[in-house]
Amino acid sequence: MAERADSTVLAGARVVLHTGTVEDGRVIVEGTRIAGSTPEGARSIDLSGHWVVPGFVDMHNHGGGGASFTSGTVDEVLTGIRTHREHGTTTLVASTVTGEMDFLAQRAGLLSELVEQGDLAGIHFEGPFISPCRKGAHSEGLLRHPDPAEVRKLMDAARGTAKMFTLATELPGGIESVRLLAEHGVIAAIGHTDATYEQTVEAIDAGATVATHLYNAMPPLAHRAPGPIAALLEDERITVELINDGTHLHPAALQLAYHHAGAHRVALITDAMDAAGFGDGRYQLGPLAVEVKDGVARLVEGNSIAGSTLTLDTAFHRAVTIDRIPVGDVVQSISANPARLLGVYDRVGSLEPGKDADLVVLDADFTLKGVMRKGEWIIQPHIG
């Protein structure tokens, strides 16, 4: 029987399923999907000594490969998407940064076409509805209160592809904007905020469900003023984003979030900017100049951290080898949880029959060796 070109059995690896890890497991790929049984003539690839995990899902990403999702052309955005796919991210949301409203609406139109084509999973608007006290790498002169009418304008410009808005919910219009987003099935994320503990609780009760890069761009945890961090960690309705690049978070802070929230409430993200997968140098993040040195991105003026140069394969590797998070918990945080939040868990986020054949092959040291998206190898593992 001749081998079927569109049928492959990945055999002998440790396969991380939603139900647990299977030793000497196998994943059957038929066409673009994961199959439940082996077709006749399928070819087999021996992945003994390796791990097979679901493709990574990044719900907060501004660019990569030298390209910006905020300002790049369609071809440049596709370059950024391709760069992250080569690092295991098979499902990606494009994040914007603060800009003029008309410009953001125009970007939403361009990015929405890539969502409709299947290249992106949605759009995340980070700014302009954030606090000047915690602006990070956002232009203060372009910040504004979260007016529900303007939130609606960007939702409309995105033509149903808006997945998330980051808001400083303590600002005028913040709670009303959270309610509007929740009513339309769009994630309201609390971030770049100067909110108190009580204000954060109010926003969660109004429908907020995500903490944008927990710890970063918000008041620190204090024993008499616990602020947003305590409210976000303690509430089961909140998923906390974490940037695990070794710069944004001390390992103890990451472990605290896993311990207190649990792996089922953590989403590992990159918050990547153009330099991810590209290198040091000068870049633009929206209207602001950024200098990347030794892989750390900072604003030229003010020296604030300006996103990251992280890719999710590195975040995975750090979580397992440095932070000592169990592999199954990391997989949940880097694939299943963000897929559920984005409403695409029926297609991606786990290695179940019927889902897209999106997967990552790692060696015994958790270094990326292969990436498959919809049954096609983006990086084919060379085993031998």
Side-chain angles (χ1 to χ4, degrees):
M1 175 75 70
E3 289 185 351
R4 289 186 53 172
D6 62 348
S7 299
T8 304
V9 179
L10 308 179
R14 289 178 171 176
V15 178
V16 182
L17 304 175
H18 63 291
T19 52
T21 299
V22 177
E23 303 285 342
D24 193 18
R26 62 179 187 168
V27 177
I28 303 161
V29 176
E30 186 169 13
T32 64
R33 303 292 181 91
I34 296 170
S37 60
T38 308
E40 288 188 25
R43 71 188 185 100
S44 182
I45 299 176
D46 183 5
L47 292 179
S48 298
H50 290 71
W51 295 80
V52 176
V53 301
F56 307 147
V57 180
D58 193 353
M59 57 189 280
H60 187 157
N61 187 313
H62 298 277
S68 168
F69 298 152
T70 294
S71 58
T73 65
V74 168
D75 285 345
E76 287 169 341
V77 173
L78 289 171
T79 294
I81 293 168
R82 185 165 56 250
T83 297
H84 285 283
R85 285 181 184 169
E86 290 170 353
H87 290 274
T89 298
T90 51
T91 301
L92 182 101
V93 169
S95 302
T96 63
V97 296
T98 294
E100 296 282 2
M101 285 296 296
D102 287 344
F103 175 76
L104 290 174
Q106 180 269 328
R107 291 304 298 176
L110 181 149
L111 294 171
S112 67
E113 293 180 9
L114 295 175
V115 178
E116 291 159 3
Q117 291 172 195
D119 294 300
L120 291 169
I123 303 170
H124 163 218
F125 293 97
E126 187 180 22
F129 310 118
I130 60 175
S131 172
C133 302
R134 305 287 175 177
K135 64 182 185 297
H138 291 257
S139 177
E140 184 168 352
L142 296 173
L143 300 182
R144 52 215 298 137
H145 292 161
D147 180 350
E150 293 191 324
V151 171
R152 184 61 185 262
K153 176 181 177 178
L154 293 182
M155 287 172 57
D156 290 344
R159 303 199 302 263
T161 66
K163 290 289 186 179
M164 182 164 69
F165 281 72
T166 291
L167 310 170
T169 54
E170 75 278 8
L171 296 176
I175 297 300
E176 293 81 2
S177 296
V178 169
R179 292 193 180 111
L180 173 70
L181 293 167
E183 287 169 6
H184 287 82
V186 179
I187 296 166
I190 300 171
H192 288 275
T193 177
D194 203 42
T196 64
Y197 174 90
E198 291 77 13
Q199 288 170 327
T200 306
V201 169
E202 182 184 9
I204 297 169
D205 287 340
T209 55
V210 166
T212 294
H213 43 55
L214 184 75
Y215 301 113
N216 299 113
M218 59 182 65
L221 183 67
H223 62 291
R224 281 192 289 270
I229 293 172
L232 294 164
L233 277 177
E234 73 183 9
D235 199 301
E236 282 291 321
R237 294 170 290 182
I238 292 292
T239 298
V240 298
E241 294 182 344
L242 298 175
I243 308 170
N244 192 23
D245 62 351
T247 298
H248 281 79
L249 297 177
H250 189 283
L254 180 132
Q255 290 161 357
L256 174 67
Y258 267 96
H259 175 77
H260 201 74
H264 66 291
R265 289 180 46 220
V266 171
L268 293 177
I269 61 161
T270 61
D271 193 19
M273 46 78 72
D274 314 16
F278 199 67
D280 290 355
R282 280 285 183 105
Y283 297 87
Q284 287 292 127
L285 188 60
L288 302 178
V290 175
E291 179 78 28
V292 178
K293 184 177 180 181
D294 298 327
V296 178
R298 293 186 179 275
L299 291 182
V300 172
E301 293 188 14
N303 207 38
S304 290
I305 295 176
S308 84
T309 61
L310 184 64
T311 53
L312 281 183
D313 58 329
T314 298
F316 191 111
H317 187 272
R318 283 188 59 88
V320 175
T321 62
I322 296 175
D323 305 305
R324 302 297 179 184
I325 307 297
V327 175
D329 288 352
V330 178
V331 168
Q332 190 173 6
S333 303
I334 211 166
S335 299
N337 295 345
R340 286 194 185 95
L341 283 165
L342 297 171
V344 295
Y345 189 67
D346 60 324
R347 294 187 288 107
V348 300
S350 66
L351 300 175
E352 296 176 72
K355 290 194 175 185
D356 291 348
D358 291 2
L359 56 86
V360 174
V361 179
L362 306 166
D363 68 13
D365 296 321
F366 301 100
T367 300
L368 184 144
K369 294 297 180 182
V371 182
M372 177 182 283
R373 184 175 187 270
K374 294 188 176 180
E376 292 188 8
W377 288 112
I378 294 168
I379 296 176
Q380 187 157 359
H382 297 289
I383 309 300

